[in-house]
Amino acid sequence: MLSIWVVSMIGLVASTLTDTPTNKISGCEALEKKFTAKVWFPGSERYENETTIYWSKSVILQPGPLCVFTPFDAHDIATALPILHSNGSQFAVRGNGHMTVKGAASINNGILVALTDLRKLEISSDSEIASLGPGLTWFEVYNWVQKYDRVIVGARYAPVGVSGFLLGGGISFLGPQYGWGANSVVNFEVVTAKGDIIQANKTSNPDLFWALKGGGSNFGIVTRFDVQTHPTGQIYGGTISYDQSNVDVMFRALQAFAEPGGGIDNAKVGMLPNLFINPATGGQTAALSGFFDGPDGSALKNFTENFSGSTAKLRTYADFLGESAAAGGRGDFRGAFHCVSFKSSAQTVSLINDTVTREAVQHLGDVPGAVVSISPQFLGKQWFEAARESGGDAIDIDPTNANLLVLNLVTQWTNAEDDDKIADWVESVIEKMKKKASDLELNFSFIYLNDAQEGSDPFPLYGGGKSLSKLRDVRKRYDPDNIFQIQMPGGFKLGD
């Protein structure tokens, strides 16, 4: 199985052969010659801003890129890619920098292509289709589209970027009704490795259309997403918080929700739970972002038996998502996501909580600033039915499989010297959870791309193992020279 670090090494080897420091610098110079006001070098304010606006400090690389290119539209990128290719320059592409994998949206001694200025916001005359630029955040999108009484299947954390979310599939509060966020995309505008601007939809380049729904950045640079909007009215939602005295209320409610009839099969309910563990004390607190698509809040009643605080009320969807603007923004911390999946059940919830809490207290209590968050993401079979009804995607989970619990295990810490310790701990605790789940027949082979940790390999698990060969064929058709595999070395690669 070809992991991300193997591909990165291939790119590194290639760079020693074709991408000398002189060529790298000439790549920046060639771009600057063509785009005088869109190339930024160290020492400029724009360079400093573009190279530091990541969710986690742990993905900010040093010394960083040789220069930053900030294109304004698809034509700029179509002009730039052949320049980068001809100079053998390595590069990275960044939307809003929420992925926690080093090098996925950052680079050392290469060129950072920052999509910050691609900010299209347009809606069709009937308000059915919205056109979104990859430089936008969902906070901007939600506030804009609410004016039309419409909603888009986007991120649960409003500061997340449009581009990475959709290309990775996209878990949304609206997923039980409409599937992955990517399933609402009706057209991608893409700049290919050769510098061609093409459209990918059901009738034009349909193979690429399928591959981009979960296939990441392996095929080109997407410069516009045309997405289906949906009607919206008043919803019931907010954040319910728990302290150590009542956190067991949320735990029991999650156990109930995980079972058929307990909530996971209610398509109108969406939630994002977080159980926070302090390894130094073993103490737990929790918060739930809970949502019901309508005015009835009774679907969340199990979570409101006892709590420390709540903002849940009747409101617009945009207002509800706005609460996450602070929680999901850029942090002055080191942090990483880690994904593993199981069949959803009350037993699964207990297994995860017991294992992670015990291991965190035993092994991370002396790590400065350490916080571990258990974030179970419940994906019922109606999610995957909706995904297939929309036309399908590369992820292609069979709805006849059991309801899933896709765990995002989030770690935060203070010091760079603890990076390896945290990574080793995560690897160990995931293996222990999988071993226990195997004994109970609760494992499920799936890694959600947007929560994947460095070194994991999500694509061979897509479609029960059937999507990878097709994804590779699509990649070879649209990137025959392997530019997005070798010259763009970061992120998760498809391999040969």
Side-chain angles (χ1 to χ4, degrees), residues 398-417:
D398 188 342
T400 62
N401 289 309
N403 297 328
L404 300 188
L405 190 163
V406 179
L407 174 65
N408 183 13
L409 183 61
V410 185
T411 52
Q412 294 183 10
W413 65 99
T414 301
N415 300 322
E417 52 263 34

Side-chain angles (χ1 to χ4, degrees), residues 244 276-285 357 360-361 364-365 367 369-372:
Q244 196 159 338
F276 302 103
I277 303 164
N278 182 339
T281 66
Q284 275 194 335
T285 58
T357 301
V361 172
L364 299 182
V367 176
V371 178
V372 176

Side-chain angles (χ1 to χ4, degrees), residues 37 49 55 72 78 102 202 313 317 378 444 453 458 490-491:
N49 289 339
W55 180 76
F72 183 74
K102 293 178 183 178
K202 288 182 179 180
K313 61 183 180 181
Y317 190 75
F378 298 97
F444 188 85
Q453 62 269 31

Side-chain angles (χ1 to χ4, degrees), residues 96-117:
N96 272 275
H98 201 78
M99 182 172 273
T100 64
V101 174
K102 293 178 183 178
S106 54
I107 193 166
N108 271 333
N109 299 317
I111 297 170
L112 175 62
V113 180
L115 304 181
T116 313
D117 293 339

Side-chain angles (χ1 to χ4, degrees), residues 177-382:
Q177 297 180 67
Y178 305 112
W180 306 101
N183 295 129
S184 287
V185 179
V186 298
N187 180 71
F188 299 89
E189 179 183 77
V190 188
V191 181
T192 69
K194 293 182 178 180
D196 297 326
I197 302 173
I198 63 174
Q199 308 300 314
N201 51 56
K202 288 182 179 180
T203 58
S204 180
N205 302 302
D207 56 344
L208 181 59
F209 180 56
W210 171 86
L212 287 169
K213 292 185 283 185
S217 57
N218 285 280
F219 313 98
I221 299 177
V222 178
T223 52
R224 192 186 76 238
F225 300 84
D226 299 330
V227 300
Q228 179 72 50
T229 70
H230 305 280
T232 185
Q234 290 284 292
I235 62 94
Y236 184 87
T239 302
I240 306 169
S241 56
Y242 310 83
D243 61 28
Q244 196 159 338
S245 69
N246 51 36
V247 70
D248 61 311
V249 171
M250 178 166 159
F251 179 73
R252 291 195 305 269
L254 289 176
Q255 287 182 304
F257 189 90
E259 295 285 348
I264 191 171
D265 44 11
N266 188 336
K268 293 286 188 176
V269 175
M271 63 174 55
L272 177 59
N274 279 286
L275 288 155
F276 302 103
I277 303 164
N278 182 339
T281 66
Q284 275 194 335
T285 58
L288 172 81
S289 292
F291 157 80
F292 181 79
D293 194 6
D296 183 7
S298 63
L300 301 176
K301 64 181 180 180
N302 286 348
F303 294 92
T304 57
E305 291 179 1
N306 187 14
F307 53 85
S308 300
S310 176
T311 64
K313 61 183 180 181
L314 284 175
R315 64 211 305 190
T316 65
Y317 190 75
D319 183 55
F320 164 54
L321 267 296
E323 286 188 355
S324 67
R330 273 51 179 163
D332 188 25
F333 54 79
R334 306 183 75 78
F337 303 148
H338 320 273
C339 186
V340 60
S341 297
F342 307 98
K343 296 176 184 178
S344 179
S345 71
Q347 202 170 18
T348 308
V349 174
S350 296
L351 181 157
I352 293 169
N353 184 64
D354 294 346
T355 307
V356 174
T357 301
R358 181 181 61 255
E359 295 295 319
V361 172
Q362 288 182 358
H363 300 288
L364 299 182
D366 61 345
V367 176
V371 178
V372 176
S373 173
I374 299 170
S375 182
Q377 303 169 113
F378 298 97
L379 279 59
K381 65 179 182 179
Q382 71 273 16

